[in-house]
Amino acid sequence: MKCTVCRGPAVIDLRRHNANFCPEHFLRFCRDQVVRAIDDHGMMAPGQRVLVAVSGGKDSLALWDLLVELGYDAEGMVIGLGIGDYSDASTAAAVAFAEQRGLRLHRIDLRGEYGYDIPTASAVTRRVPCSSCGMSKRHLIDKAALDGGYDVVATGHNLDDEAAVLLGNVLHWQTEYLGRQEPVLAERPGFPRKVKPLVRLAERETAAYCVLRGIDYMVEECPMAAGNRHLRYKAALDEIEAASPGTKHAFYFEFLARAADRFRPEAAAAQEGLTPCTSCGAPTTGEVCAFCRLVERVGGREPVPVELVRPGRRRGKARKAGAAT
Amino acid sequence: MHVVLRNPRRELDLAGPMSVAKLLGRLELNRESVLVIRGDTLVPGDAVLADDDEVEIRPVISGGLA
């Protein structure tokens, strides 16, 4: 198999683009896709301060690397989620990446600064771990971006992420969520501007980018995400993609072109009436925001081991763990 | 060839030569969901893996909803 560009030996075939690439031209392809995403959606401009939400996984490290390569002033932020060895190794990957490149990485530890971790939050609230995890990360990234005066937050959501979320939102007709599933979320009072520069890259491509750039990312999957709905949607889309390359791209980008604007009013309506949290000042629909309520409820609890809150046997064990704390 | 699969980690030995596409088919793996790495670099679907190759099959799907 030869590189579509230079006819040298190819290392990866991208059937959705009907193209094969050698390492040099694959890396150029990735940069071009990110530049196009940034330009097409007006994500950010040179000279702006960017805060990259970093997990230690392939997407966020590829994103950080690409933005730095493209000349952006990009700093990282990683959150210690307390998901056992997985979180320790993920944070270590982010720290090593930053140190090797002399980049600034901000660190927050949920247990150290807020008195809880994700397994404990899941056990006590009896909700899926991804719920408290996503909410905590969004709150803390927003806060860090606003407090630090960053112009924009960049997240590592890729094409597979967006297509899977879109599939879930369509299957359940989550019209409010459909109205804000775009590559750019504009800055609003209490919320920083957020952008997704990897939306034109599939996660097979971000993983390949890391391998070819020598980025030592966290390969293992989060033990608390195993078997979740989002992964099932991705697997279903991959089955379709294998039979019909390009389907994921068409699904997401044709949604943006043809349908996303129809749902914007519902998303906008949901934002009306937000008032500052009486505890932290973040926008909320109630008196106290979800993050502060979570901290109030689970902060200071004894840690619940990851093994007791794994998906599939979470509820029964969680009750026991929650009752014991 | 010696094949290492990740998430969860498994190892197996298979006779070569065999193409990457055939290997993935034999293991019932979707080529959209994995990378195949020989040594320290990627190999495309039509690459032929030799009997003495060390191969890693790395899943690329990751799961959180944040």
Side-chain angles (χ1 to χ4, degrees):
Chain A
M1 193 174 285
K2 292 181 178 177
C3 174
T4 303
V5 180
C6 69
R7 311 306 295 165
V11 295
I12 188 166
D13 48 318
L14 304 184
R15 294 199 303 150
R16 73 191 186 96
H17 287 285
N18 194 26
N20 315 307
F21 292 112
C22 67
E24 177 190 346
H25 289 112
F26 177 72
L27 296 176
R28 183 183 297 178
F29 161 82
C30 291
R31 284 193 289 270
D32 289 347
Q33 293 298 315
V34 169
V35 168
R36 182 169 172 187
I38 291 171
D39 290 347
D40 283 355
H41 301 283
M43 291 184 178
M44 50 194 170
Q48 289 190 313
R49 294 183 67 222
V50 184
L51 183 62
V52 182
V54 176
S55 68
K58 65 186 189 312
D59 300 310
S60 60
L61 293 184
L63 172 62
W64 199 2
D65 189 70
L66 282 157
L67 292 181
V68 171
E69 281 282 299
L70 292 171
Y72 286 94
D73 176 13
E75 298 179 1
M77 176 175 162
V78 66
I79 300 171
L81 301 166
I83 307 175
D85 295 341
Y86 170 79
S87 285
D88 294 341
S90 298
T91 299
V95 169
F97 177 91
E99 287 180 347
Q100 288 162 8
R101 292 159 179 77
L103 300 173
R104 187 172 183 196
L105 177 67
H106 305 270
R107 295 176 63 175
I108 290 180
D109 183 74
L110 280 184
R111 173 61 66 179
E113 297 184 39
Y114 295 95
Y116 75 98
D117 51 57
I118 297 305
T120 307
S122 178
V124 173
T125 62
R126 300 179 191 177
R127 299 190 64 185
V128 292
C130 298
S131 171
S132 55
C133 185
M135 185 272 286
S136 299
K137 287 192 285 191
R138 284 191 297 273
H139 179 92
L140 293 171
I141 286 283
D142 287 357
K143 181 178 187 310
L146 294 171
D147 291 350
Y150 292 89
D151 296 299
V152 61
V153 170
T155 61
H157 295 89
N158 57 49
L159 175 60
D160 292 77
D161 293 322
E162 295 306 298
V165 170
L166 177 59
L167 179 61
N169 286 339
V170 168
L171 289 175
H172 297 277
W173 289 114
Q174 301 274 14
T175 50
E176 177 196 330
Y177 296 154
L178 285 169
R180 58 178 189 232
Q181 204 193 328
E182 304 203 39
V184 175
L185 291 176
E187 182 179 5
R188 293 168 288 137
F191 296 104
R193 181 177 180 79
K194 288 185 177 175
V195 300
K196 302 170 183 173
L198 299 185
V199 287
R200 297 188 61 85
L201 290 173
E203 58 189 340
R204 181 167 172 263
E205 293 152 18
T206 61
Y209 179 89
C210 287
V211 171
L212 294 175
R213 286 281 290 167
I215 296 172
D216 193 11
Y217 67 91
M218 179 65 177
V219 174
E220 276 65 41
E221 180 53 275
C222 175
M224 309 199 78
N228 73 15
R229 195 161 59 180
H230 188 63
L231 285 172
R232 289 200 299 276
Y233 292 153
K234 282 189 172 181
L237 286 168
D238 271 348
E239 286 293 319
I240 299 169
E241 181 78 16
S244 182
T247 298
K248 281 185 280 196
H249 182 101
F251 181 46
Y252 180 60
F253 283 97
E254 291 303 311
F255 162 76
L256 293 181
R258 301 185 192 202
D261 59 346
R262 304 181 190 199
F263 301 101
R264 284 182 194 138
E266 289 194 54
Q271 297 296 320
E272 290 176 3
L274 294 179
T275 55
C277 169
T278 54
S279 178
C280 73
T284 178
T285 52
E287 281 191 21
V288 179
C289 74
F291 179 79
C292 289
R293 290 200 307 272
L294 181 68
V295 173
E296 175 69 22
R297 187 172 177 191
V298 304
R301 297 269 192 147
E302 285 294 313
V304 175
V306 174
E307 293 74 19
L308 294 184
V309 285
R310 275 184 180 166
R313 50 185 183 129
R314 177 184 56 82
R315 294 188 65 85
K317 296 289 186 183
R319 282 193 197 97
K320 197 178 288 184
T325 55
Chain B
M1 74 191 77
H2 185 66
V3 180
V4 177
L5 298 102
R6 308 278 292 265
N7 295 346
R9 186 181 178 90
R10 293 150 287 162
E11 298 185 27
L12 61 153
D13 292 298
L14 296 169
M18 186 189 305
S19 74
V20 167
K22 188 172 180 182
L23 172 65
L24 296 180
R26 186 162 167 180
L27 297 174
E28 299 183 342
L29 293 172
N30 186 331
R31 59 189 295 179
E32 298 297 330
S33 307
V34 299
L35 290 176
V36 179
I37 303 169
R38 176 174 55 193
D40 60 357
T41 195
L42 303 171
V43 285
D46 70 341
V48 176
L49 302 167
D51 201 46
D52 59 350
D53 275 343
E54 296 279 333
V55 178
E56 176 188 346
I57 299 178
R58 182 180 295 189
V60 298
I61 296 182
S62 55
L65 254 179

